[in-house]
Amino acid sequence: MATFFTVVFLAFPFPLLAFDISQSTRCVTIPDQMKVCRDVGYSEMRLPNFLGHSNLEAEVVPHSEDWRPLLQTGCHPQAQAFLCSIIAPVCLDAFIQPCRSLCVAVRDSCAPVLACQGHLWPEALDCNRFPDEEDMCLTPYAKLNHYAKDLPKPACQNCPSIEDAPAMKTVLSAFCQHDFAVTAKIRRFRHPGDESEFQVEGRVEFIRQGPLLPYDTQHLLQQWLLINVRCASALVRPARSQLYVLTGSVQPDGTIALIYLFPWHKKDAGIALATRKWKHHRC
């Protein structure tokens, strides 16, 4: 997963599935600039694709970029395979569409992420349009990494409270009431077109580790920023980095909810004192 995440509000300018299997097609190499499908496992695709796009440079490649922020969230392990089977179908003797069951699995995991960003699941990807598994189609596979499914996951949520210059008792209470507390520096980059990138800089330090794991927590926070783009935009001013204390809990469904964010400025004696008291006395 890339360290940088771009906040892009998807327009989904896709037509309804308009591909006629009886029409003539051609095979082309998946271009390097089509990043979302560059490492999908095959090198040639059919045109027109299953969205009816026939122009690689003017239609397929630009529209494929609309999906990159969603795929970066990791909303479903087969989201890339599903989307690329539609926008860049593999060049074989037979036409291989995604199965309806695969569409449903990806939709159920990724539609809430789109909703968090203010978008509905596109009509062009209505799962009823895809074949049953009795037909030749791309089926979902069982996730082999059983341990990964038990890791805490980011999710769409109401934005956490942000408190500047909090009192020591407020911070210490947050440490005691929530499952975890970490410090992380978040940097915001501004680009033309009002797009923003957020980066979790350096190491994430634990104050209270709880159920979080050291090797996963930075990635977890980065995914949270991308899913909760509207909350992320309120965190850090453009072209600035800010150190935060973040506290939160893991919900019964395994997702994390950030509850409080405390910007930690050099003059914030309350945060520093709360951190020292926690290390020595706990709750």
Side-chain angles (χ1 to χ4, degrees):
M1 181 67 65
T3 301
F4 291 89
F5 295 111
T6 303
V7 176
V8 179
F9 289 94
L10 307 183
F12 295 120
F14 298 147
L16 301 182
L17 287 175
F19 178 73
D20 181 358
I21 290 181
S22 65
Q23 70 178 296
S24 61
T25 64
R26 69 185 190 277
C27 293
V28 298
T29 301
I30 297 176
D32 288 340
Q33 62 268 33
M34 194 172 175
K35 298 178 182 178
V36 298
C37 299
R38 189 167 54 189
D39 59 349
V40 76
Y42 51 89
S43 59
E44 287 193 322
M45 57 176 282
R46 281 191 180 274
L47 287 179
N49 62 18
F50 287 123
L51 292 172
H53 297 157
S54 57
N55 189 305
L56 192 64
E57 291 77 17
E59 295 179 297
V60 179
V61 173
H63 290 329
S64 70
E65 280 297 294
D66 292 331
W67 292 103
R68 188 152 56 96
L70 180 68
L71 293 178
Q72 285 179 317
T73 68
C75 58
H76 190 277
Q78 276 188 279
Q80 182 193 36
F82 168 69
L83 291 170
C84 289
S85 70
I86 297 168
I87 61 179
V90 61
C91 193
L92 297 174
D93 293 337
F95 292 93
I96 308 297
Q97 296 186 66
C99 295
R100 188 176 305 157
S101 57
L102 176 58
C103 177
V104 169
V106 173
R107 180 199 64 196
D108 289 353
S109 292
C110 297
V113 175
L114 287 180
C116 194
Q117 299 172 347
H119 302 286
L120 298 176
W121 184 253
E123 188 178 356
L125 302 184
D126 181 356
C127 295
N128 291 327
R129 299 176 182 275
F130 299 109
D132 293 324
E133 290 190 15
E134 288 77 13
D135 302 316
M136 184 179 293
C137 57
L138 184 64
T139 61
Y141 62 79
K143 193 171 182 181
L144 298 178
N145 189 349
H146 299 290
Y147 183 65
K149 70 180 181 181
D150 296 325
L151 293 175
K153 302 175 183 64
C156 181
Q157 65 165 91
N158 294 328
C159 294
S161 298
I162 302 176
E163 289 202 25
D164 282 293
M168 183 272 293
K169 289 184 178 180
T170 300
V171 180
L172 189 59
S173 176
F175 293 166
C176 292
Q177 292 177 8
H178 304 138
D179 293 337
F180 61 85
V182 301
T183 62
K185 182 177 286 188
I186 301 173
R187 185 173 180 85
R188 179 176 181 177
F189 301 85
R190 194 67 169 268
H191 297 283
D194 290 329
E195 295 179 7
S196 295
E197 290 182 354
F198 296 88
Q199 180 192 12
V200 178
E201 295 186 321
R203 294 180 58 186
V204 175
E205 302 287 346
F206 290 105
I207 298 173
R208 179 173 187 173
Q209 182 172 334
L212 302 186
L213 296 175
Y215 70 86
D216 180 63
T217 301
Q218 182 180 23
H219 171 68
L220 178 66
L221 293 178
Q222 289 170 339
Q223 285 186 308
W224 187 95
L225 290 170
L226 185 59
I227 292 172
N228 294 275
V229 290
R230 297 178 182 180
C231 299
S233 296
L235 291 179
V236 188
R237 287 176 292 179
R240 293 287 301 275
S241 62
Q242 175 63 55
L243 180 65
Y244 285 91
V245 174
L246 306 95
T247 70
S249 296
V250 177
Q251 307 303 300
D253 63 357
T255 61
I256 66 164
L258 296 183
I259 311 299
Y260 281 106
L261 274 68
F262 303 112
W264 194 346
H265 305 286
K266 291 182 179 179
K267 297 181 179 180
D268 285 334
I271 296 177
L273 183 57
T275 303
R276 287 197 297 270
K277 288 183 71 70
W278 167 262
K279 291 181 178 178
H280 292 94
H281 302 291
R282 304 293 165 136
C283 297

